């Protein structure tokens, strides 16, 4: 069936079928199968995480964008890179567990490098401290990327670099979100980062749970290595270590 003929109910059923896949291999197989129709299907959902992540990063990043190394974790078909390209970023390294998704990401022509990795099962295949920007949009949720992976994201960012993450705020993801927020706070207490900004987005995407209707909410958290912390409608984190004095800005969209 052509993606353009699908209804919201069609897409909802596709996504709900993914919840039945319990192993990493099952998830990878699902995304390999879904890859061809992924962009069209998430458009039907009004999925906004990629554009919100890109907008958040753009509003805070003050360096040379064309040369900045952007590590796009769980890059999928390249939706985040496409959005960030419109903001002037030009150097993308993509990581994903699905070959099918990565094949489509390759076709965008945006990535200088693409690496396959199942996050939480394999270590992140990057050199620590090598990325000006680290972004993960949509994969931090129940049954996908485990919460402890956020420590690897932090390590991947350069001093002065940004990290931006997104997650859903809905009934099915409530336990995961609580664990994620607890880990982010724990890392803040350890001196790894501090919150800078966290916006709450009411219409994050259309709800697909059988227990919810309309749109679900999302949160956006940004983190930065530095000595100050700011609060607004968005949570921004300020990443720092005792050994690093340079600013490292990190964004998380929850």
């Amino acid at each position: 069936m052509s993606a353009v003929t699908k209804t919201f109910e069609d897409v909802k059923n596709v996504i709900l079928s993914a919840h039945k896949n319990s192993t990493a291999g099952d998830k990878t197989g699902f995304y390999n199968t879904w890859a061809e129709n992924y962009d069209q299907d998430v458009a039907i959902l009004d999925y906004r995480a990629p554009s919100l992540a890109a907008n958040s990063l753009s509003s805070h990043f003050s360096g040379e964008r064309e040369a900045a190394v952007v590590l796009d974790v769980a890059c999928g078909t390249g939706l985040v890179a496409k959005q960030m390209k419109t903001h002037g970023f030009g150097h993308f390294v993509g990581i994903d567990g699905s070959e099918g998704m990565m094949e489509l990401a390759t076709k965008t022509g945006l990535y200088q490098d693409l690496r396959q990795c199942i996050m939480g099962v394999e270590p992140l295949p990057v050199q620590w401290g090598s990325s000006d920007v680290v972004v993960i949009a949509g994969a931090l949720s129940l049954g996908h990327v485990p919460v402890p992976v956020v420590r690897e994201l932090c390590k991947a960012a350069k001093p002065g670099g940004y990290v931006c993450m997104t997650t859903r705020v809905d009934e099915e993801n409530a336990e995961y979100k609580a664990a994620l927020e607890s880990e982010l706070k724990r890392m803040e207490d350890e001196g790894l980062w501090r919150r800078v900004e966290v916006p709450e987005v009411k219409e994050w995407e259309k709800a697909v749970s059988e227990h919810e209707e309309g749109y679900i909410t999302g949160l956006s958290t940004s983190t930065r290595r530095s000595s100050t912390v700011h609060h607004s409608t968005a949570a921004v984190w300020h990443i720092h270590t005792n050994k690093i004095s340079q600013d490292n800005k990190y964004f998380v969209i929850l």
Side-chain angles (χ1 to χ4, degrees), residues 4-210:
V4 296
T5 67
K6 285 185 178 179
T7 66
F8 170 70
E9 287 301 318
D10 293 329
V11 177
K12 177 179 176 179
N13 290 334
V14 169
I15 295 173
L16 290 177
S17 73
H19 295 176
K20 301 175 183 178
N21 299 321
S22 57
T23 69
D26 290 340
K27 291 287 186 187
T28 300
F30 168 79
Y31 279 101
N32 284 337
T33 302
W34 193 21
E36 183 179 355
N37 292 326
Y38 179 82
D39 288 5
Q40 297 92 330
D41 286 0
V42 296
I44 291 173
L45 291 179
D46 289 341
Y47 177 57
R48 301 176 60 201
S51 62
L52 291 166
N55 291 343
S56 180
L57 286 163
S58 180
S59 69
H60 291 274
F61 190 86
S62 59
E64 174 53 51
R65 298 187 179 195
E66 185 65 30
V69 177
V70 178
L71 180 63
D72 187 0
V73 181
C75 65
T77 60
L79 293 180
V80 170
K82 289 177 182 177
Q83 291 290 331
M84 294 192 67
K85 182 68 174 178
T86 67
H87 291 288
F89 293 91
H91 188 117
F92 300 97
V93 176
I95 295 176
D96 203 271
S98 164
E99 285 188 34
M101 291 285 191
M102 291 175 65
E103 287 177 4
L104 293 175
T106 299
K107 291 179 181 179
T108 66
L110 294 174
Y111 292 91
Q112 280 67 39
D113 192 8
L114 282 159
R115 306 169 188 177
Q116 188 170 14
C117 172
I118 300 178
M119 278 71 72
V121 176
E122 304 166 300
L124 207 62
V126 297
Q127 181 179 350
W128 297 148
S130 61
S131 301
D132 298 282
V133 172
V134 179
V135 57
I136 180 168
L140 288 174
S141 61
L142 181 66
H144 288 77
V145 175
V147 167
V149 170
V150 297
R151 289 183 177 266
E152 295 186 51
L153 303 181
C154 181
K155 291 177 182 178
K158 289 180 181 179
Y162 289 82
V163 182
C164 182
M165 303 184 290
T166 79
T167 195
R168 308 187 318 271
V169 180
D170 60 356
E171 183 178 332
E172 291 187 351
N173 203 47
E175 186 175 344
Y176 182 98
K177 173 181 170 290
L180 177 61
E181 291 181 331
S182 178
E183 181 69 352
L184 296 179
K185 180 60 167 62
R186 187 178 301 113
M187 292 172 69
E188 181 182 18
D189 292 341
E190 293 172 9
L192 298 177
W193 60 39
R194 279 189 293 171
R195 188 176 307 186
V196 177
E197 180 185 29
V198 184
E200 181 175 299
V201 181
K202 293 297 184 183
E203 295 188 352
W204 186 260
E205 67 181 10
K206 290 180 181 177
V208 297
S209 169
E210 296 177 353

